[in-house]
């Protein structure tokens, strides 16, 4: 449905290191916050005079200043393209001379402790770096050989999970109530679903922070460990030593936990062990890849989990996407044209279109000219009530389950998105974009 909405609208308007291994802290970045790009100033010195050590530090610094979540270092035929992912969207930022490609990659390998003489094999690692007047930044690195040489993707992980709350993630009052009811239960399973980069791990970490008290034991198995949680035992998957999600989960069950978090249910074995753990008195949290909450249930059955086990152990399924929020500094009223309203009238709530008072960012220095700053979630929360349990036992398809859940008050993700459009949090185009991708 979302793809049809998008097309109608556009047509009408034209491996990581184990947890035990210390992560190297490689230095302190002390670059002053000045308007002009320090990376550009370094590049202007010319290839022979560029300090590669300084250049890599400044690249990370400026990515942090621009709130980037990822840095892409991509070799091309003529140059080395540097892209930052900001609020979920990639932007071309710099073009480095091709002559310094190997030196930049080598410097990142040295920081990460990877082999500098290996150029034909993918390598993964991580390091920490301190930035002046900010918390430590944990940087996850992935390097792979490509047609024009080795590329590198760096994920910037700021230690921010402890400051997050479920309210700050964009959950509506009704969805918050459903989640709080589910996490108060001493056992059962809570699943979060959505595509890669939709904030599933952040939601799980925030729930764990809420549950983390001295009275309970919480153990996680993750790949990778994205944020450290004080008071929580976190285990890193390491397939080279046989420590997979399934094997780690078997081990965790012998550690007397109250709450278990599995980073992702990827295979039949992990799914069945997770359901068994939820059935035997543990509160189990995990993520699973599915299009929405309703398709999660047939997905578990496809993983050879018995329907009666799903219906008796699953508490809720949270589905989510991330949308960019309108920059409050340049936010302005926007009126839809008659052509746009006509294209949307068959799909959007009438009260939304009748109002014809929308908002958009015009672009400013605060948002780097994009009109957006930061992101928020749009969600749906499917509660497993008696009607849904009966449908699971009957091997009902996702459509039937979704209809029953909506009849019982579930707000779908796209409806939640519409509500945030009406509130001036985001734009119609942004809601449609995340479902079209």
């Amino acid at each position: 449905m979302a793809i049809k909405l998008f097309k109608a609208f556009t047509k009408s308007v034209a491996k990581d290191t184990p947890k035990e291994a210390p992560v190297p802290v490689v230095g302190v970045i002390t670059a002053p916050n000045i308007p002009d790009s320090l990376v550009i100033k370094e590049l202007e010195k010319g290839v022979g005079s560029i300090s590669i050590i300084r250049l890599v530090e400044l690249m990370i610094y400026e990515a942090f200043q621009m709130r980037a979540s990822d840095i892409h270092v991509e070799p091309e035929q003529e140059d080395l393209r540097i892209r930052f992912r900001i609020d979920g969207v990639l932007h071309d930022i710099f073009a480095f001379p091709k002559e310094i490609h190997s030196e930049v990659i080598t410097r990142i390998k040295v920081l990460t402790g990877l082999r500098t003489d290996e150029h034909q094999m993918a390598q993964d690692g991580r390091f920490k770096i301190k930035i002046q007047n900010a918390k430590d930044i944990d940087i996850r690195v992935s390097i792979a050989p490509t047609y024009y040489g080795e590329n590198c993707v760096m994920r910037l992980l700021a230690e921010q999970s402890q400051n997050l709350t479920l309210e700050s993630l964009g959950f509506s009052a009704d969805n918050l109530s459903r989640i709080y009811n589910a996490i108060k239960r001493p056992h059962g399973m809570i699943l979060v679903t959505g595509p890669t980069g939709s904030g599933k791990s952040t939601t799980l970490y925030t729930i764990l922070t809420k549950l983390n008290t001295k009275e309970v034991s919480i153990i996680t198995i993750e790949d990778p460990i994205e944020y450290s949680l004080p008071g929580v035992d976190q285990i890193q998957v390491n397939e080279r030593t046989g420590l997979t999600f399934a094997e780690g989960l078997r081990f965790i069950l012998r550690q007397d936990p109250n709450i278990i978090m599995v980073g992702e249910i990827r295979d039949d074995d992990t799914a069945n062990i997770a359901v068994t753990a939820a059935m035997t008195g543990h509160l189990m949290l995990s993520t699973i890849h599915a299009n929405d909450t309703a398709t999660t249930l047939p997905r578990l059955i496809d993983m050879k989990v018995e329907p009666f086990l799903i219906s008796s152990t699953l508490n809720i399924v949270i589905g989510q996407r991330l949308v960019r929020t309108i920059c409050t500094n340049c936010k302005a009223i926007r009126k839809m044209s008659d052509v746009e309203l006509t294209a949307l009238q068959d799909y959007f709530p009438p009260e939304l279109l009748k109002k014809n008072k929308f908002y958009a960012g015009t672009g400013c220095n605060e948002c780097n000219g994009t009109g957006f700053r930061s992101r928020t979630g749009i969600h749906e929360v499917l509660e497993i009530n008696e009607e849904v349990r009966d449908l699971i036992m009957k091997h009902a398809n996702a459509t039937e389950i979704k209809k029953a859940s909506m009849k019982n008050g579930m707000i779908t993700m796209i409806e939640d998105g519409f509500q945030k459009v009406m509130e001036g949090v985001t734009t119609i185009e942004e809601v449609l974009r995340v479902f079209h991708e």
Side-chain angles (χ1 to χ4, degrees):
M1 175 184 173
I3 292 178
K4 291 180 180 178
L5 287 176
F6 186 89
K7 289 180 177 177
F9 182 67
T10 54
K11 181 179 179 181
S12 64
V13 298
K15 307 268 171 167
D16 299 314
T17 55
K19 182 173 183 271
E20 301 84 68
V23 177
V25 179
V26 300
V28 180
I29 296 178
T30 57
N33 184 16
I34 60 176
D36 296 331
S37 169
L38 297 174
V39 171
I40 297 297
K41 290 182 180 295
E42 188 67 33
L43 292 173
E44 287 173 348
K45 295 178 179 179
V47 172
S49 302
I50 292 172
S51 167
I52 300 299
I53 293 174
R54 183 68 172 161
L55 183 66
V56 171
E57 284 189 345
L58 292 174
M59 178 175 65
I60 296 171
Y61 173 79
E62 295 201 6
F64 175 78
Q65 290 292 98
M66 296 174 73
R67 302 175 294 104
S69 61
D70 300 85
I71 303 171
H72 288 239
V73 181
E74 302 171 341
E76 297 186 337
Q77 186 173 5
E78 301 294 336
D79 53 29
L80 184 63
R81 182 167 62 156
I82 308 299
R83 298 198 290 170
F84 293 170
R85 187 178 293 279
I86 303 170
D87 295 332
V89 178
L90 279 169
H91 300 269
D92 287 342
I93 304 297
F94 304 116
F96 289 0
K98 188 64 181 285
E99 293 88 340
I100 66 171
H101 169 215
S102 62
E103 294 177 79
V104 170
I105 297 296
T106 298
R107 176 57 184 165
I108 295 170
K109 286 181 178 180
V110 169
L111 294 176
T112 315
L114 301 177
R115 289 183 55 182
T116 58
D117 60 340
E118 177 57 67
H119 306 288
Q120 301 302 320
M121 183 178 72
Q123 297 189 73
D124 296 308
R126 64 198 304 164
F127 64 90
K128 284 187 178 180
I129 198 161
K130 294 179 182 293
I131 292 183
Q132 192 177 40
N133 301 323
K135 294 184 177 180
D136 291 359
I137 303 298
D138 196 0
I139 299 178
R140 201 168 75 218
V141 177
S142 177
I143 296 175
T146 68
Y147 184 77
Y148 289 114
E150 290 177 288
N151 79 344
C152 176
V153 177
M154 292 184 280
R155 168 68 56 90
L156 279 61
L157 300 169
E159 297 289 344
Q160 60 179 7
S161 60
Q162 292 90 335
N163 301 323
L164 293 175
T165 63
L166 288 171
E167 289 79 2
S168 69
L169 297 182
F171 285 99
S172 67
D174 182 65
N175 285 337
L176 280 173
S177 175
R178 293 168 186 249
I179 293 171
Y180 283 133
N181 288 337
I183 66 178
K184 286 176 184 176
R185 299 177 188 176
H187 53 80
M189 190 155 60
I190 296 171
L191 294 179
V192 183
T193 187
T196 301
S198 60
K200 300 187 297 296
S201 295
T202 300
T203 298
L204 286 185
Y205 277 117
T206 306
I207 292 173
L208 285 182
T209 302
K210 182 77 175 177
L211 294 171
N212 189 14
T213 64
K214 294 180 179 179
E215 292 77 26
V216 297
S217 169
I218 302 176
I219 305 179
T220 75
I221 175 118
E222 307 172 55
D223 183 25
I225 297 171
E226 295 195 13
Y227 306 112
S228 62
L229 296 175
V232 176
D233 293 322
Q234 295 173 268
I235 300 171
Q236 168 70 53
V237 165
N238 188 353
E239 294 189 359
R240 288 174 294 180
T241 63
L243 184 57
T244 61
F245 277 122
E247 288 302 316
L249 189 47
R250 288 190 180 97
F251 168 77
I252 287 173
L253 290 174
R254 297 192 290 271
Q255 292 280 305
D256 187 34
N258 300 101
I259 300 166
I260 302 169
M261 193 267 271
V262 178
E264 183 182 349
I265 294 177
R266 295 177 178 172
D267 52 55
D268 300 0
D269 204 9
T270 306
N272 280 278
I273 300 169
V275 169
T276 301
M279 186 175 60
T280 54
H282 304 88
L283 186 61
M284 167 66 62
L285 289 76
S286 190
T287 69
I288 189 169
H289 279 286
N291 290 331
D292 56 22
T293 55
T295 55
T296 301
L297 307 179
R299 175 97 173 97
L300 287 171
I301 294 174
D302 290 342
M303 289 181 164
K304 300 180 174 58
V305 181
E306 293 293 338
F308 77 91
L309 291 176
I310 300 172
S311 63
S312 60
T313 58
L314 192 57
N315 294 342
I316 58 169
V317 183
I318 303 168
Q320 64 182 61
R321 301 286 192 278
L322 289 178
V323 294
R324 293 180 292 174
T325 55
I326 299 170
C327 175
T328 55
N329 190 57
C330 60
K331 184 176 179 178
I333 294 175
R334 177 202 168 188
K335 293 283 186 180
M336 286 279 188
S337 68
D338 291 340
V339 175
E340 290 172 318
L341 291 173
T342 301
L344 297 169
Q345 65 184 359
D346 293 335
Y347 309 104
F348 278 62
E351 64 273 16
L352 178 63
L353 300 179
K354 183 177 179 181
K355 182 181 176 183
N356 196 11
K357 184 181 178 182
F358 304 94
Y359 295 89
T362 57
C364 64
N365 290 334
E366 290 291 321
C367 60
N368 298 312
T370 65
F372 296 99
R373 184 174 174 84
S374 192
R375 288 186 290 176
T376 191
I378 56 176
H379 308 91
E380 64 185 30
V381 179
L382 189 157
E383 280 188 304
I384 310 301
N385 55 28
E386 289 303 320
E387 185 175 359
V388 173
R389 288 191 182 95
D390 290 341
L391 289 171
I392 294 171
M393 294 297 291
K394 295 175 182 176
H395 290 252
N397 60 37
T399 302
E400 294 173 296
I401 294 170
K402 186 172 184 176
K403 285 181 179 178
S405 300
M406 291 173 66
K407 187 180 71 174
N408 289 316
M410 183 184 81
I411 303 298
T412 65
M413 279 184 280
I414 200 161
E415 289 173 333
D416 192 41
F418 296 162
Q419 183 60 39
K420 287 180 169 62
V421 169
M422 293 179 70
E423 294 168 357
V425 174
T426 189
T427 65
I428 285 179
E429 294 90 341
E430 185 66 10
V431 171
L432 294 179
R433 178 186 68 83
V434 298
F435 287 101
H436 179 68
E437 288 181 337

